[in-house]
Amino acid sequence: MFEQPERHEQPEHRFERGTDGPKVIVVGVDGSDSSLRAAAYASGLARRQNALLAVVYVQPVMAAGAALGAPVAEVTDGIAEDLIAQIRAAAERLKGIYAVRWEFHTFRGDPYNGLVRAADELKADAVVVGASEQAGHRIIGSVAVRLVKSGRWPVTVVP
């Protein structure tokens, strides 16, 4: 004769929509096609998770260029202004369709250290970057690979 399994009543579990995912998603942008695809992907993720999207541009510091009299800061400031204009235009086109909370931040330095600093300061739960489009990165490692190896946040690399 088979015995009936013992049953234990458990309190009803109610799923809390939107509370288990990331609260802050950092996406690195530099104007390249892959970084803009990463921004689009991160935007969708932020919308679905009701997270804050922190769009980060790391302005390169080129001491050699500055020493030669090149207006490096002016050029990188211009890139930052252009990126924020593109992001605002995209947000305006989607207004009323999708609501995404976003902020734009600039940091100075090399891309890897700038994104690490941004993710730390903004208390990121996830980092999204575009895949490197430079051939040399296959040998010395890309920003994405270095972020993954650091193991500090979940990192999504968008092709």
Side-chain angles (χ1 to χ4, degrees), residues 50-73:
N50 194 29
L52 173 66
L53 178 63
V55 180
V56 174
Y57 169 60
V58 180
Q59 293 179 296
V61 176
M62 294 179 258
L68 296 173
V72 176

Side-chain angles (χ1 to χ4, degrees), residues 112 116 119-120 124-127 143-155:
Y112 170 76
V116 166
D120 282 344
D125 298 304
V127 177
V143 171
V145 169
R146 291 174 66 194
L147 287 168
V148 169
K149 285 183 177 182
S150 75
R152 295 169 62 183
W153 316 269
V155 177

Side-chain angles (χ1 to χ4, degrees), residues 99-117:
V100 176
R101 294 178 305 125
W102 64 277
E103 300 173 348
F104 184 81
H105 300 270
T106 59
F107 289 81
R108 291 192 186 272
D110 68 275
Y112 170 76
N113 287 315
L115 285 173
V116 166
R117 190 168 137 228

Side-chain angles (χ1 to χ4, degrees), residues 7-141:
R7 294 185 185 208
H8 298 280
E9 294 295 321
Q10 293 188 12
E12 181 180 328
H13 177 71
R14 293 178 37 186
F15 179 73
E16 296 180 49
R17 185 174 181 95
T19 59
D20 294 331
K23 296 295 178 211
V24 178
I25 299 169
V26 166
V27 60
V29 295
D30 61 5
S32 67
D33 288 343
S34 67
S35 79
L36 297 177
R37 286 191 297 271
Y41 178 88
S43 176
L45 183 61
R47 179 185 57 82
R48 290 186 298 279
Q49 296 292 333
N50 194 29
L52 173 66
L53 178 63
V55 180
V56 174
Y57 169 60
V58 180
Q59 293 179 296
V61 176
M62 294 179 258
L68 296 173
V72 176
E74 291 175 22
V75 171
T76 59
D77 286 345
I79 292 170
E81 290 172 15
D82 184 51
L83 287 170
I84 198 166
Q86 288 180 44
I87 294 163
R88 281 196 175 118
E92 191 62 33
R93 283 192 305 271
L94 297 175
K95 195 174 188 177
I97 301 170
Y98 298 116
V100 176
R101 294 178 305 125
W102 64 277
E103 300 173 348
F104 184 81
H105 300 270
T106 59
F107 289 81
R108 291 192 186 272
D110 68 275
Y112 170 76
N113 287 315
L115 285 173
V116 166
R117 190 168 137 228
D120 282 344
E121 288 184 16
L122 299 171
K123 297 183 180 11
D125 298 304
V127 177
V128 179
V129 293
S132 176
E133 296 177 348
Q134 297 180 9
H137 287 172
R138 291 193 180 105
I139 299 166
I140 61 171

